[in-house]
Amino acid sequence: MTDLAIIIVSYNTCKLLDACVGSLSQPSPKVPTDIVVVDNGSHDGSVETIRRHWPQVKVLEVGRNIGYAAANNLGIRESNSEFVLLLNSDTLASGIAIDVLVNQLRERPGVGAIGPRLVNRSGQPELSFGNMIGPFNELIQRAKRIALAHDIPVISRRIREALITPGYHDWVSGACLLFRRGDAETVGGLDERFFLYGEDVDFCAALRRIGKRVFFSPDVEVLHHIGQSGVRMSEQTQLAYRRSQVAFYSKHHPAWLPLLKAYLKIRGKLPTKSS
């Protein structure tokens, strides 16, 4: 058993994936690490590129798009390590950042998951943590993102202060999410009902149910290009998002589910069984 397995799910992000894997060697983590790329049926040369440029990386070819949660679960099952890091293919994370995250988790036995500060290419921070998803918290989170993007006075300053403050939250982003394998096995891994979006929030909720806490660490910074896997298929991405949203409310807020479905139906965005 090695110390850390880094699981990267790939779907038609060849150049970003290549850069992501490359960033992990600049420098490489000091903690013994295995890298596993799970490819969800890419047709852009992703698999060939990784095998050619990074032969030490284990590549799992699924052959079709089984979704983010299911692909990560496959990567977890096909690896053997004390810690697991889920890392988006559209991120850049140095080995130094990885080492710091692992050390921080080791020092916090009561923490079930830890996530770093995420920034875009311009160095602007991403709101990568928050309260449990719900009807009101979704609106608040969206308002915070708008305030941050438009630099609204007072509000954006408070948000930026939170983005440099270590703390415990209900969830941290699955773009870069570190946890113990034992905890993941206890909660049954990621819920595969969530094809895309919401799986990280649900997973953090599962960890909290077994008494673990979720920690945001601004001491570690990871670049995130945000959502590049869905750039060329916005219609499918929207459908996947709505399906996951319905599944999330069905699981966590069933009383609100009829209202959500009615709202989506009025907007023409309610996913059907055949869609």
Side-chain angles (χ1 to χ4, degrees):
M1 175 183 285
T2 190
D3 288 20
L4 174 68
I6 300 177
I7 313 298
I8 306 172
V9 174
S10 164
Y11 183 68
N12 290 329
T13 56
C14 182
K15 291 183 179 180
L16 290 170
L17 174 64
D18 190 33
C20 175
V21 175
S23 72
L24 296 170
S25 63
Q26 299 176 4
S28 298
K30 291 182 180 179
V31 59
T33 301
D34 290 332
I35 301 174
V36 180
V37 169
V38 184
D39 187 78
N40 267 348
S42 297
H43 47 76
D44 64 347
S46 293
V47 169
E48 294 80 7
T49 296
I50 294 303
R51 284 180 170 155
R52 182 170 64 252
H53 292 173
W54 313 103
Q56 75 277 18
V57 172
K58 183 176 183 178
V59 179
L60 302 176
E61 291 187 76
V62 181
R64 60 189 178 89
N65 194 348
I66 61 173
Y68 186 75
N72 272 307
N73 283 340
L74 176 60
I76 293 170
R77 289 194 301 269
E78 293 296 322
S79 60
N80 188 20
S81 60
E82 180 182 2
F83 300 101
V84 177
L85 177 71
L86 306 186
L87 190 65
N88 274 20
S89 62
D90 57 357
T91 61
L92 298 176
S94 73
I96 295 174
I98 303 302
D99 284 334
V100 173
L101 283 177
V102 171
N103 288 335
Q104 288 183 344
L105 189 56
R106 277 180 169 150
E107 293 167 357
R108 294 171 170 82
V111 169
I114 185 170
R117 171 182 163 95
L118 300 176
V119 299
N120 63 22
R121 281 179 290 185
S122 300
Q124 297 301 309
E126 176 184 340
L127 189 56
S128 58
F129 57 82
N131 295 323
M132 181 62 177
I133 286 179
F136 301 110
N137 285 335
E138 275 198 283
L139 292 174
I140 293 171
Q141 193 79 356
R142 189 172 300 141
K144 286 181 177 179
R145 288 196 176 104
I146 292 172
L148 192 61
H150 295 279
D151 201 20
I152 297 175
V154 182
I155 300 175
S156 63
R157 186 181 73 244
R158 290 181 179 178
I159 297 172
R160 291 181 189 280
E161 288 174 355
L163 291 170
I164 58 172
T165 304
Y168 298 98
H169 300 275
D170 286 348
W171 60 269
V172 290
S173 172
C176 182
L177 181 64
L178 178 70
F179 51 87
R180 294 177 181 84
R181 178 179 298 273
D183 288 337
E185 291 174 348
T186 298
V187 302
L190 280 71
D191 191 330
E192 297 185 8
R193 284 178 289 181
F194 306 121
F195 187 89
L196 182 66
Y197 302 122
E199 64 286 320
D200 47 3
V201 180
D202 176 78
F203 181 67
C204 288
L207 292 174
R208 288 188 288 107
R209 281 196 296 273
I210 64 171
K212 294 302 179 90
R213 305 182 78 183
V214 177
F215 185 69
F216 169 66
S217 175
D219 299 333
V220 181
E221 193 169 278
V222 170
L223 189 148
H224 185 207
H225 293 283
I226 306 177
Q228 292 301 305
S229 291
V231 165
R232 295 184 181 177
M233 45 183 306
S234 58
E235 187 175 338
Q236 290 101 319
T237 300
Q238 281 294 320
L239 177 61
Y241 171 77
R242 293 304 178 187
R243 282 190 178 280
S244 293
Q245 187 180 31
V246 169
F248 191 94
Y249 274 73
S250 177
K251 180 177 182 178
H252 294 283
H253 307 290
W256 285 94
L257 185 60
L259 188 60
L260 172 64
K261 287 185 174 180
Y263 167 74
L264 293 177
K265 187 173 183 179
I266 290 171
R267 296 189 62 194
K269 294 185 178 181
L270 179 64
T272 63
K273 291 183 179 179
S274 61
S275 61

